[in-house]
Amino acid sequence: MESMIRLLRADEIECRVAMINERGASLLLYKDARADQKILDETFTPFGWKRTHQIIDGNLYCTVEVWDTQKNQWIAKQDVGTVSFTEKEKGQASDSFKRACVNWGIGRELYTAPFIWIPAGSMKIQRKGEKYVTTDRFEVKSIGYNANREIVSLEIVNASGVMVFRKTEAVDAKPTYLVPEDFERLEEELKRTGVELSTVLERYGLSDIGQLTPDIYAKAMKSLKRSRSKAA
């Protein structure tokens, strides 16, 4: 059944700021529950799927079931939601539904997205107290996938339609860019060693983190792993 699920279109993908500082911001791609409902309706018809919610050990779970005409039975996939900072119950219900839909394959391709970095020169950044914020909004203009359902090309524009991010690979090529998990590991090593990100960038002649290539990333990580921990 999962092979029947189509890939997300550009207009079904939303962007949100994941991290922001004086040098720029990183973006994450996500889908909302409306996209999940639409794809479930398209693939299985409005009468061919259903959702239910259950409380397990104090956590809200969602089960999405699809009718299998060959087996003549409902096939279920389930996942748990996380707490929303605004509307707790509604946030958990929506999140658990979206996660259950990922188990069915809807939007799973978003996990193959590259690290999306928007430099300060391409957006408006303000400092409020100890935090940096932006009122800029971003959207996916185009997106391309390879045969393995992996993202190989991506274009993001701001609200004025100006291109602020672009990655392009041959459709059948394996992506050569870094993914968010790579940067999470880099951040862990920086915290462990106490080395500043600016120090790493300067060493390799880079002006912002978005310029990191897989080769430079591998060299930087190898060097950091040889360094002592900050507490040592």
Side-chain angles (χ1 to χ4, degrees):
M1 290 185 182
E2 290 177 43
S3 62
M4 299 166 59
I5 301 291
R6 68 169 173 80
L7 296 163
L8 292 172
R9 300 193 304 263
D11 62 344
E12 296 171 323
I13 303 171
E14 299 187 36
C15 305
R16 67 177 172 86
V17 174
M19 183 274 290
I20 185 171
N21 56 37
E22 72 277 11
R23 294 186 295 272
S26 63
L27 304 181
L28 287 179
L29 303 182
Y30 70 100
K31 60 183 175 67
D32 62 20
R34 290 184 295 274
D36 291 316
Q37 293 166 350
K38 181 168 64 175
I39 292 177
L40 286 170
D41 284 350
E42 289 177 6
T43 309
F44 306 109
T45 80
F47 304 100
W49 67 277
K50 60 182 179 179
R51 64 184 279 191
T52 55
H53 291 272
Q54 306 83 28
I55 297 292
I56 302 176
D57 294 332
N59 296 311
L60 184 62
Y61 284 74
C62 178
T63 301
V64 173
E65 298 178 70
V66 169
W67 181 253
D68 189 325
T69 55
Q70 293 182 337
K71 296 180 180 179
N72 200 34
Q73 66 181 38
W74 289 97
I75 306 298
K77 297 198 177 186
Q78 183 185 73
D79 213 325
V80 65
T82 57
V83 177
S84 168
F85 290 105
T86 52
E87 298 176 89
K88 182 177 179 180
E89 291 78 11
K90 182 179 179 181
Q92 278 190 296
S94 177
D95 190 61
S96 61
F97 173 62
K98 290 185 289 185
R99 287 170 177 261
C101 288
V102 170
N103 288 337
W104 275 106
I106 303 178
R108 193 179 296 168
E109 61 272 18
L110 297 183
Y111 290 104
T112 69
F115 179 71
I116 304 169
W117 178 257
I118 312 300
S122 298
M123 62 184 298
K124 298 177 182 177
I125 298 177
Q126 298 177 320
R127 183 166 185 170
K128 288 190 175 181
E130 297 299 318
K131 297 182 179 180
Y132 290 91
V133 298
T134 182
T135 57
D136 285 6
R137 295 292 180 265
F138 306 95
E139 63 182 52
V140 177
K141 180 182 179 182
S142 68
I143 190 166
Y145 307 96
N146 63 15
N148 295 320
R149 301 173 70 91
E150 299 169 326
I151 297 173
V152 292
S153 65
L154 179 66
E155 293 181 330
I156 294 177
V157 298
N158 61 21
S160 299
V162 177
M163 187 84 65
V164 295
F165 179 88
R166 183 178 186 182
K167 285 285 186 181
T168 305
E169 298 282 343
V171 173
D172 295 324
K174 183 178 180 180
T176 58
Y177 43 67
L178 301 173
V179 296
E181 288 76 8
D182 294 322
F183 291 87
E184 290 175 5
R185 288 189 283 270
L186 174 61
E187 184 177 1
E188 290 174 359
E189 282 300 300
L190 293 175
K191 288 181 179 179
R192 181 186 67 80
T193 60
V195 176
E196 294 291 335
L197 175 61
S198 58
T199 301
V200 175
L201 296 178
E202 290 174 5
R203 178 175 181 181
Y204 296 99
L206 307 178
S207 58
D208 65 63
I209 194 172
Q211 295 177 332
L212 272 177
T213 64
D215 288 341
I216 295 177
Y217 172 84
K219 292 177 182 177
M221 288 293 287
K222 184 176 181 180
S223 178
L224 287 169
K225 288 182 180 298
R226 289 200 300 262
S227 301
R228 292 184 176 183
S229 298
K230 185 178 180 181

